[in-house]
Amino acid sequence: MPAIQRVIKPRTKRSKRALEKREPQFIENTKQCLFFHGLKTSEGIRECVKDLHALKSQASLKLQQKNKILPFEDVLPVERLAVKNDSSLFCMATHSKKRPNNIVIGRMFDHHLLDMVELGVENYAPLSEFKNAKVAAGTKPCMVFCGTEFEDVTEFKILKNLLIDFFRGVEAKEIRLQGFEHALQFTVFDGKVFLKSYRILLKKSGTRIPRVELEEIGPSMTLQMRRNRFASNDLRKRSLQQPKQQKANKVKNVRKDPFGTRLGRVHMTKQDIGKLQTRKMKGLKEITKKTKKTRGRVSGDEQMETNE
Amino acid sequence: MEESAVDKVRDILLKAQEEVKAVQVENKEIQLECDLGNLVVTDNNTLVQDTLRNSDECGEYLRSLARDSIQTLITKVWDLPTERIDNAVYVTLPKPSISIPREKKVPVEKPLTKWEQYAKDKGITKRKKEKKVWDEVLKQWVPRYGFRKVQADKEKNWVRVVPENADPYEDQYAKVAEMKKENVAKNEFQRLRNIARNSKVKLPSVGVTGNEFARPKDLLRAAQHAKHATASLGKFQPGLKGEKPSKGRGNKRKSEGSTMDIQQEKKRNIDIFDKIGKPDLNLDAAMHRQVKDDNVEHDRKKKGGKKHLRRSKMGGRHLTRSDHRSIKLGKGIHNNGPKGKGRDAGPGSKGKGKDRASLLQLASKRGATGKIIMKANKRKKFSKR
């Protein structure tokens, strides 16, 4: 466990725990994403951000207020928001005459900006336009990247990495086979990126491996790369550093016995032994008033019998 | 009979072929790259430009591309080792090959405190103490610390004995409370000292809490420092009988000899040369300070609070039109001397920014004694200095 090296101590256990949670960890949590609006937005871009938020749903947070932020002029307010909400991904919607229907997608490293890309949204088709069943919330999407530019052009190379980071969700080691439900496709062509989202239908093929069919569920859009700000090589290198040994956090009160059974320890309140129910026997029965009376009478009858 | 059997076999073979076809993906020029850890497929083949430009065919074309990629991914995933947990089949994914940046830095090991370091060197291990202790007076188990400890303490020490040689009017309860407070303060002091030591901040060597726990060595050092803290550096301070003159109070700077080994001299000169022309700037601290200032300003703006501080803190009254004119003419504004109320205050400080001439004028107007004028003259001298 990393230590909290702070001069001012947290006053309560709860706040201490909250601070510890925000500390750098060996095995990191899923990156939280922050969605918010700029001062001016169009209806289309608002819907777009809403849909993207719905796609990510679990590890994300959407702010409702307008924000007077221009990330390419001053990134500090964005960093401040990210620190406050402990989220390292962000997606911001803006709209202006010069750059209509704009989203800014970015990521942070150690509370400072790493990469940031401005994308213009065209031909937007929202989730609601596709009238069919959607995927379950929080499914890890399969991602497809088509086009040579994703390998050749530096900007698109970084964009690809950013998009994987943005959409991949939980870093899972084990996945249920039925969990392959959602597919995202990014195709770069003529400097534009087509985003499509599909539901994966696994059909019987007669062999062990199922046949894949895709059904578009939306949203679908064309993204135009506008401004960008990428990290320096040095910073990127630092952000990619991995700890030498991945130590998981200590799990308390759970252990395994030699047979591999998981045993848990549960802490409970003190047991009142006085009220404990033991084996029921006549002799151990508590003597109440009623029973006392009947008992007395029985003994009296017996006496009379003996007298006779 | 024979013919029908042959037909059947043919049918089965055809069906099997179809089934295999359903799962297979047509061959591509460049093979698809799969990152199973991240569930990412990369298709590096060149796209058909005409279909992509045609809005009618574009969607269908993209879907077929995606289907092929997902099919290859699923085929590979289905070949991975699986595990059955609670009636569901789980597949174990390999490590991702596309590296994604971390969210925060790699955590560093917690630096040891002074005691921890000492204990480690000496091989002292922590012994677990029981949480409850048997109390002979109360005849019950009492917590060693924490919840209900104070309560038990109050019950136990309902009366305190005044020691024989103690002042009878001294409040023994207050004494104990004071001791406790001192102890807490000492702990806090040590905690801060550990943090400072670990973050390589220079600390003054003198620091005595002045409590019951202070060691004689500390007290002696404190006394020496106190003695030394006079204008004449303690030269004329009377000493106690038989008191040894203090030594080793601080490190005396040693003068480096002018002649030394060639290599040493070379190194020294190079070091000096390296220092020249480089600003002594702590970039991290400067950046954080900038960020903090920005935050403060932003918050002030957002909350609709005061944009400016109090006038007195901003440097006096606001400039009038005549002030601006005088600045323009090069005469200077009224209050331009050093500020403050004390003896050393400049000419501009008193009388709300009236300068020497106006003060003189005032004096003569009011028919005041020469005292004021003299004062003004004195000030003149001061300002010249």
Side-chain angles (χ1 to χ4, degrees):
Chain A
M1 273 299 288
I4 335 173
Q5 271 283 318
R6 287 164 48 100
V7 175
I8 298 164
K9 265 192 197 170
R11 292 212 177 141
T12 56
K13 277 273 176 193
R14 192 177 168 198
S15 59
K16 190 183 170 190
R17 256 178 276 136
L19 283 171
E20 262 172 5
K21 216 176 157 192
R22 286 178 172 221
E23 290 274 307
Q25 311 278 344
F26 276 107
I27 292 170
E28 293 195 305
N29 51 325
T30 311
K31 285 187 184 181
Q32 191 88 13
C33 185
L34 198 65
F35 289 90
F36 58 96
H37 293 164
L39 212 53
K40 214 183 126 198
T41 46
S42 64
E43 205 187 332
I45 204 72
R46 275 200 297 276
E47 189 137 18
C48 173
V49 164
K50 206 173 97 189
D51 286 352
L52 286 178
H53 171 57
L55 272 192
K56 279 191 68 68
S57 72
Q58 281 188 340
S60 69
L61 187 70
K62 191 160 174 282
L63 304 183
Q64 299 300 331
Q65 273 185 337
K66 289 174 185 174
N67 296 283
K68 196 181 176 184
I69 295 173
L70 297 168
F72 281 91
E73 259 133 69
D74 184 16
V75 81
L76 283 172
V78 184
E79 286 180 0
R80 217 176 294 134
L81 274 181
V83 169
K84 193 180 168 192
N85 296 294
D86 195 26
S87 48
S88 59
L89 296 168
F90 72 89
C91 174
M92 183 194 178
T94 55
H95 179 78
S96 68
K97 198 173 175 186
K98 194 173 178 185
R99 299 188 186 84
N101 297 327
N102 217 19
I103 53 170
V104 182
I105 288 178
R107 59 180 164 189
M108 310 281 177
F109 169 65
D110 199 25
H111 304 309
H112 290 294
L113 184 80
L114 190 69
D115 298 321
M116 180 162 72
V117 186
E118 197 173 48
L119 301 162
V121 178
E122 291 159 23
N123 308 328
Y124 184 70
L127 267 172
S128 53
E129 205 176 286
F130 299 87
K131 300 268 186 289
N132 46 18
K134 310 291 179 203
V135 292
T139 30
K140 196 174 160 70
C142 305
M143 280 180 268
V144 182
F145 288 86
C146 302
T148 48
E149 268 140 302
F150 275 130
E151 293 301 306
D152 304 338
V153 186
T154 330
E155 287 169 3
F156 284 102
K157 221 172 165 179
I158 296 170
L159 178 68
K160 179 187 168 187
N161 198 291
L162 180 58
L163 287 171
I164 293 172
D165 199 359
F166 195 82
F167 286 106
R168 73 168 171 166
V170 186
E171 227 182 309
K173 263 188 184 169
E174 283 173 341
I175 290 188
R176 212 159 62 107
L177 285 180
Q178 282 92 330
F180 290 89
E181 254 193 311
H182 189 206
L184 283 171
Q185 187 192 22
F186 303 94
T187 316
V188 62
F189 174 68
D190 265 1
K192 283 182 181 177
V193 179
F194 301 104
L195 193 162
K196 299 262 177 194
S197 159
Y198 306 98
R199 193 155 73 97
I200 300 173
L201 306 168
L202 299 174
K203 295 273 168 71
K204 273 178 190 168
S205 68
T207 56
R208 201 174 63 84
I209 296 154
R211 181 181 163 75
V212 171
E213 291 288 341
L214 297 179
E215 185 190 12
E216 192 165 359
I217 53 165
S220 128
M221 57 183 113
T222 313
L223 300 167
Q224 172 89 49
M225 178 112 74
R226 285 175 182 157
R227 289 178 288 179
N228 57 36
R229 187 179 295 172
F230 296 137
S232 63
N233 284 340
D234 181 47
L235 184 63
R236 190 176 305 286
K237 210 173 161 188
R238 256 189 291 155
S239 72
L240 287 169
Q241 257 173 12
Q242 291 297 331
K244 272 176 191 162
Q245 83 261 36
Q246 294 258 332
K247 269 192 283 179
N249 291 344
K250 207 169 134 192
V251 180
K252 273 173 129 183
N253 300 337
V254 176
R255 66 191 171 86
K256 269 186 181 173
D257 69 353
F259 306 106
T261 323
R262 235 156 66 102
L263 299 172
R265 175 185 289 175
V266 185
H267 292 273
M268 290 179 63
T269 50
K270 207 172 182 184
Q271 199 175 12
D272 188 0
I273 299 168
K275 282 181 185 170
L276 191 74
Q277 180 66 57
T278 49
R279 206 176 150 199
K280 282 179 185 173
M281 279 199 293
K282 249 189 184 172
L284 292 172
K285 225 176 199 177
E286 218 173 322
I287 301 163
T288 54
K289 262 187 186 172
K290 214 176 171 185
T291 48
K292 228 180 187 177
K293 257 186 191 172
T294 49
R295 263 190 199 178
R297 208 179 290 153
V298 167
S299 58
D301 289 350
E302 277 170 6
Q303 266 184 355
M304 275 167 75
E305 275 172 25
T306 47
N307 287 346
E308 276 173 19
Chain B
M1 274 295 281
E2 270 186 24
E3 267 190 21
S4 64
V6 169
D7 280 349
K8 251 184 189 173
V9 170
R10 200 180 288 148
D11 276 356
I12 289 166
L13 277 174
L14 265 174
K15 214 179 174 186
Q17 258 181 353
E18 262 174 35
E19 277 168 356
V20 173
K21 244 186 203 172
V23 181
Q24 264 179 354
V25 176
E26 58 174 304
N27 272 340
K28 301 216 170 193
E29 275 178 41
I30 305 167
Q31 272 205 334
L32 303 178
E33 284 171 34
C34 288
D35 175 12
L36 296 180
N38 283 323
L39 302 180
V40 170
V41 193
T42 314
D43 186 354
N44 282 330
N45 292 294
T46 40
L47 305 166
V48 184
Q49 296 195 0
D50 295 339
T51 24
L52 275 172
R53 289 216 175 87
N54 189 344
S55 57
D56 297 336
E57 294 167 21
C58 175
E60 199 50 46
Y61 174 62
L62 285 179
R63 196 163 75 175
S64 72
L65 272 180
R67 198 212 81 83
D68 286 353
S69 304
I70 298 290
Q71 180 71 66
T72 28
L73 182 79
I74 293 279
T75 314
K76 280 190 178 171
V77 165
W78 249 252
D79 286 339
L80 288 172
T82 52
E83 199 181 348
R84 183 173 281 274
I85 306 167
D86 297 339
N87 289 331
V89 183
Y90 286 83
V91 65
T92 315
L93 297 178
K95 271 190 178 173
S97 60
I98 298 172
S99 46
I100 303 287
R102 280 176 68 87
E103 184 179 14
K104 280 158 197 163
K105 282 179 187 168
V106 174
V108 280
E109 280 287 300
K110 180 187 170 191
L112 296 176
T113 63
K114 204 169 179 183
W115 162 252
E116 278 168 347
Q117 185 61 51
Y118 178 76
K120 201 181 160 194
D121 293 344
K122 287 270 177 187
I124 302 167
T125 44
K126 248 187 187 175
R127 255 184 304 145
K128 195 138 193 173
K129 287 180 191 165
E130 270 145 26
K131 265 189 118 179
K132 292 212 167 175
V133 198
W134 178 255
D135 198 307
E136 277 299 329
V137 183
L138 294 176
K139 301 282 178 213
Q140 67 179 24
W141 292 93
V142 165
R144 195 189 288 276
Y145 57 86
F147 186 48
R148 284 189 179 152
K149 198 246 162 165
V150 176
Q151 216 177 332
D153 212 38
K154 265 185 195 164
E155 235 172 84
K156 187 186 169 189
N157 296 315
W158 60 278
V159 62
R160 278 197 187 275
V161 184
V162 180
E164 259 184 34
N165 52 357
D167 176 14
Y169 297 107
E170 195 181 26
D171 185 355
Q172 293 300 321
Y173 285 100
K175 202 178 161 192
V176 171
E178 182 71 17
M179 285 266 277
K180 168 90 184 164
K181 237 184 190 176
E182 290 284 1
N183 216 344
V184 171
K186 185 196 157 207
N187 271 337
E188 180 65 11
F189 176 72
Q190 283 186 337
R191 188 179 75 87
L192 294 177
R193 202 168 55 183
N194 274 322
I195 289 174
R197 201 166 58 96
N198 293 331
S199 50
K200 297 200 172 72
V201 177
K202 264 195 178 172
L203 284 178
S205 57
V206 224
V208 183
T209 45
N211 59 10
E212 320 256 325
F213 305 101
R215 288 167 297 178
K217 199 176 138 200
D218 290 338
L219 290 173
L220 190 70
R221 204 181 334 155
Q224 281 169 359
H225 272 275
K227 207 173 163 187
H228 192 71
T230 63
S232 50
L233 297 177
K235 202 174 177 184
F236 304 108
Q237 292 296 303
L240 291 172
K241 212 177 179 184
E243 190 188 343
K244 283 175 192 167
S246 68
K247 55 180 178 180
R249 202 180 1 81
N251 295 335
K252 220 174 180 185
R253 223 185 103 195
K254 276 178 196 163
S255 65
E256 288 164 342
S258 54
T259 51
M260 55 174 81
D261 192 344
I262 294 172
Q263 278 183 338
Q264 244 178 326
E265 197 176 340
K266 191 180 167 191
K267 193 179 168 270
R268 192 172 69 166
N269 287 337
I270 285 172
D271 282 350
I272 293 168
F273 195 72
D274 280 345
K275 267 183 197 168
I276 294 168
K278 274 179 193 164
D280 189 18
L281 178 69
N282 183 354
L283 202 64
D284 255 14
M287 243 170 71
H288 273 101
R289 190 174 180 150
Q290 176 68 32
V291 171
K292 202 193 102 193
D293 286 352
D294 281 348
N295 288 356
V296 168
E297 200 190 354
H298 178 84
D299 286 349
R300 200 187 288 145
K301 258 187 211 164
K302 204 180 174 189
K303 280 173 190 162
K306 281 176 193 164
K307 266 188 184 171
H308 303 293
L309 298 167
R310 252 185 123 82
R311 272 258 183 256
S312 59
K313 281 181 186 169
M314 296 274 289
R317 69 186 177 86
H318 80 279
L319 302 184
T320 58
R321 199 193 254 175
S322 60
D323 287 332
H324 285 294
R325 200 166 48 216
S326 53
I327 289 168
K328 211 175 178 185
L329 291 169
K331 279 179 182 171
I333 53 168
H334 294 305
N335 50 345
N336 52 358
K339 303 231 159 47
K341 276 182 182 172
R343 225 167 34 150
D344 299 341
S349 67
K350 265 185 185 171
K352 289 188 179 171
K354 289 194 170 72
D355 61 357
R356 190 177 60 90
S358 57
L359 236 167
L360 274 171
Q361 223 178 6
L362 231 171
S364 61
K365 246 187 200 173
R366 285 184 190 164
T369 50
K371 221 178 175 182
I372 297 174
I373 300 167
M374 262 175 67
K375 246 188 187 171
N377 278 336
K378 255 189 188 171
R379 285 209 180 113
K380 193 183 167 190
K381 271 183 197 165
F382 176 78
S383 59
K384 266 185 184 171
R385 248 195 294 169

